[in-house]
Structures are given as structure tokens and as C-alpha cells.
């Protein structure tokens, strides 16, 4: 069965969805991502969906779930490269995905991820100093 | 019976084509006396002569009841062209229909001359001719109406094209000035334009200016929120600005809320906010004296 590769880039994970998502693939991606997050102790996940040109409510929900799962494991998630048509579809489906952070492309997403991680690190350190 | 009458009508038309045409032209010129700026007499004469010739040959075919029949195809298409050209020239429907209806009087007076002695025959011919000309007149109005609708559709499409420009204000800041009432069709086109521009320019911030939107009700607010949500999914922050005092009041009275979307009173405020967001500062040059 085909799998979506999860690449480790520095302290982040990069998931690039290049094929049409079907539901089984989405479920296995969630398994792989959570396992990899725990194994590598990555601080952030970048989900690139620039090649995804068809979405349904399940895939939309899956994006939200993956971001929430990363959050539960102490990592930040950013979805990048959403196509205009996909964005319109998701909004028309009534899913604003407000809990998901987004960026226009991988470059900007990486910058956003770095700033988010830096912020949370400084907050962690701040907490340590206070103790 | 029908064959005989059709022959009589066709016969009269053929024999007296020229005088009928002249009388018909006089009728039309009287009816259109106020609209001589729209069509010249020469054009009118050409149109009338063409139609009368086709009309005569169609009558000669023997069928004078069903204008959808193939014998009438040429007359109808000629009439359709006349009607369409008049619709685009700005004639009213009744003025266009007059083209056909004004043929009645000269034609009937000719019938009376020819069949004056035969009352029953005259009545029958008149009835047949009336029915036929009425059908053609209605057809003219129909085509006229359709042509007008096409013009309106074309104008609407042009308006849509014109009314949705996306402008780049700064590196990473684009603006969408909305003008006119928002409906779902327009909103969709605007949303597509906005999202495509975000991709093309790589912008982080999109400013939606609603100064030109006359009313903001719950539906319009919903459209705007959709636009904001879609832009956010593409990684761009949306700012809504240009909310006029009355609009702010109506929005509160209607219970319309923009949630956690940043709203500003003017485009200037929105631009200042956008500059802060992308880390730009604008400062006045201190005069060196």
C-alpha cells in the first residue's frame, strides 16, 4: 500500500501530500505522523498540500485533526500551499479550520514555524527561570 | 378552401407588391416619425422591401397558417434580424412590432379593392391575413425581447469583469475595493480573484475595503466572512475596512458580527495596521534646515 513520506528537516517534520488523498491513506498518514513525532521529538510539522486539488469534508477534518494531534504531542503544525479552489471548497463545506495555522508556501510556513517554536521555547525558558 | 385563399392573398401581394410597399413605408414613417434619428429612410425601405418579397414568396407556397413551417423559415429569419438590429438600436418592443402591424392597413385596403364585391370572401381573407400578421408581430416581439436579454447579460458580465480589481498596495499587501451590492455570484468571482492574487503576489495581508458597498446585512457579512476564512486558509490575514458610520450602526442593530476579524474604519487605518503586521514603519522625513 502506498504511503506518504514524512521527511525530517532539522527539528521539523515535512509532510508533502503529492497524491490524491483517499480515506485509508489519510488514516495511515495520521498513524505515521504521530509515531514519527514521538520518535523524533520534532518541534514542528509542515504539511504541504500544494499538489492537492480535490478535498472533501473528510480530508478537511483530517487536516484539523493532524494539527490537533501535533499540538497534543507538543509540536506546532502549519498547513501550507493550499490551492484557491481548495480553500473555497473547504469554506463552502462550512469548515473554517480556525484551529489550523496556515501559510502561503513552504518558505513562509518554515519561517512561521520557526517563529512559533522560538516563541514557545522562550516561554518555556521563562517558566523555568520563574521556578 | 385554405389553398384557394392563400392563392388569392399571394396573388394580390404579387400583383400589387410595389404600391403595397409604398403605402406600408408611409405608414411606418408616420409611426416612427419621432424615431428618425435611429433609422434612415433608405434602411427602412431596404428592410421593408426584403421582408415583403420573402413574405410574398412564403404566401405563394400555400401555407398561410403555420409560421413555424419550413416555407416561412426565410421570412422569419429575416424578421428576426430586423428585430434584433432594432433591439440593439434602442427601439421599444411596440415600435419594433409596428414594423409588421403597419403592413395591415395597406394590405387590407388592397384586399378591399380587389374583393369588394365578395363580402364573405373579403371577411375570410381579412381574417386569415390578420391571424398571419399577428403571429409574425408576436414573433418580432419575442425576438426583440430575447435580443434585449442578451444585451443585459453581456452588460452584466462586463460589469463583473470591471468591478473586481485586486490592487497591490505594498510588497505583501493587496487590497480588494468592493463597489456595489454583493450577491453570491459576484462574491464567488471576487473570492477567486482575491485568492489567485494572494498566490500570484505572495501576499501576507489582504485588505477588503467595503466603502462602496451600499448595505451590509447578515448575508453580505456572511459572504465577507467566507472570503476572510478562505484567505486565511491560504495563509493570508484579512482586514475589513471602510465601514461607514451608518453601516456600523446597522450591523450592530442586525446583530451582524465579524468575529475576530480585524476591522478598521478607513483604508488608511487598515494600511497602517498592515504595515505594523509586516514590520514596516512609515515616518515623516525631518526637514534638514
Amino acid at each position: 500500500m502506498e504511503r506518504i513520506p514524512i521527511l525530517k528537516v532539522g527539528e521539523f517534520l515535512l509532510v508533502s501530500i503529492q497524491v490524491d488523498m483517499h480515506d485509508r491513506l489519510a488514516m495511515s498518514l495520521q498513524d505515521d505522523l504521530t509515531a514519527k513525532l514521538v520518535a523524533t521529538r520534532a518541534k514542528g510539522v509542515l504539511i504541504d498540500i500544494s499538489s492537492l486539488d480535490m478535498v472533501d469534508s473528510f480530508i478537511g477534518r483530517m487536516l484539523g485533526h493532524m494539527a490537533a494531534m501535533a499540538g497534543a504531542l507538543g509540536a506546532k503544525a502549519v498547513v501550507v500551499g493550499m490551492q484557491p479552489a481548495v480553500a473555497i471548497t473547504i469554506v463552502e463545506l462550512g469548515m473554517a479550520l480556525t484551529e489550523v495555522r496556515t501559510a502561503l508556501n513552504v518558505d513562509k510556513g518554515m519561517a512561521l514555524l520557526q517563529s512559533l517554536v522560538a516563541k514557545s521555547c522562550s516561554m518555556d525558558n521563562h517558566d523555568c527561570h520563574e521556578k | 378552401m385554405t389553398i384557394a385563399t392563400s392563392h388569392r392573398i399571394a396573388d394580390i401581394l404579387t400583383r400589387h407588391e410595389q404600391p403595397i410597399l409604398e403605402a406600408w413605408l408611409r405608414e411606418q414613417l408616420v409611426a416612427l416619425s419621432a424615431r428618425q434619428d435611429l433609422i434612415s429612410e433608405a434602411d427602412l425601405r431596404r428592410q421593408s422591401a426584403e421582408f415583403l418579397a420573402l413574405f410574398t414568396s412564403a404566401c405563394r407556397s400555400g401555407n398561410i397558417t403555420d409560421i413555424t413551417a419550413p416555407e416561412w423559415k426565410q421570412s422569419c429569419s429575416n424578421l428576426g434580424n430586423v428585430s434584433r438590429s432594432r433591439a440593439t438600436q434602442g427601439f421599444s418592443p411596440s415600435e419594433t412590432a409596428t414594423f409588421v402591424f403597419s403592413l395591415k392597413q395597406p394590405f387590407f385596403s388592397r384586399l378591399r379593392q380587389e374583393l369588394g364585391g365578395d363580402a364573405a370572401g373579403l371577411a375570410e381573407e381579412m381574417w386569415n391575413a390578420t391571424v398571419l400578421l399577428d403571429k409574425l408581430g408576436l414573433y418580432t416581439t419575442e425576438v426583440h425581447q430575447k435580443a434585449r436579454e442578451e444585451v443585459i447579460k453581456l452588460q452584466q458580465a462586463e460589469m463583473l469583469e470591471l468591478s473586481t480589481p485586486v490592487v497591490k498596495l505594498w510588497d505583501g499587501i493587496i487590497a480588494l475595493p468592493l463597489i456595489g451590492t454583493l450577491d453570491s455570484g459576484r462574491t464567488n468571482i471576487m473570492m477567486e480573484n482575491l485568492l489567485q492574487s494572494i498566490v500570484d503576489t505572495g501576499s501576507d495581508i489582504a485588505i477588503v475595503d467595503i466603502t462602496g458597498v451600499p448595505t451590509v446585512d447578515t448575508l453580505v457579512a456572511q459572504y465577507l466572512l467566507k472570503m476572510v476564512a478562505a484567505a486565511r486558509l491560504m495563509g493570508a490575514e484579512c482586514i475589513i475596512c471602510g465601514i461607514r458610520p451608518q453601516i456600523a450602526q446597522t450591523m450592530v442593530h442586525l446583530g451582524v458580527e465579524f468575529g475576530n476579524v480585524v476591522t478598521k474604519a478607513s483604508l488608511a487605518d487598515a494600511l497602517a495596521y498592515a504595515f505594523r503586521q509586516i514590520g514596516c514603519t512609515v515616518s515623516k522625513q525631518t526637514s534638514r534646515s
Side-chain angles (χ1 to χ4, degrees), chain A residues 45-105:
Chain A
V45 185
L46 203 67
I47 304 168
D48 171 34
I49 55 167
S50 51
S51 314
L52 195 68
D53 46 16
M54 259 198 306
V55 284
D56 54 14
S57 56
F58 183 80
I59 303 297
R61 210 152 50 98
M62 180 211 77
L63 290 174
H65 284 177
M66 285 209 294
M69 286 168 192
L73 293 169
K76 311 284 177 198
V78 175
V79 172
V80 302
M82 193 181 290
Q83 302 273 345
V86 172
I88 293 174
T89 310
I90 288 184
V91 171
E92 291 294 340
L93 286 172
M95 298 188 295
L97 295 183
T98 43
E99 69 285 358
V100 181
R101 281 188 202 81
T102 50
L104 187 62
N105 49 35

Side-chain angles (χ1 to χ4, degrees), chain B residues 194-215:
Chain B
L194 179 69
L195 298 188
Q196 197 52 51
S197 309
I198 289 174
V199 175
D200 294 345
T201 59
S203 298
D204 297 306
I205 294 186
I207 300 175
V208 180
D209 183 78
I210 58 167
T211 315
V213 180
T215 49

Side-chain angles (χ1 to χ4, degrees), chain B residues 18-36:
Chain B
Q18 207 51 39
I20 289 178
L21 177 63
E22 294 303 327
W24 184 28
L25 272 173
R26 270 200 302 282
E27 285 288 325
Q28 288 190 70
L29 286 174
V30 171
L32 296 177
S33 57
R35 310 302 297 255
Q36 271 166 1

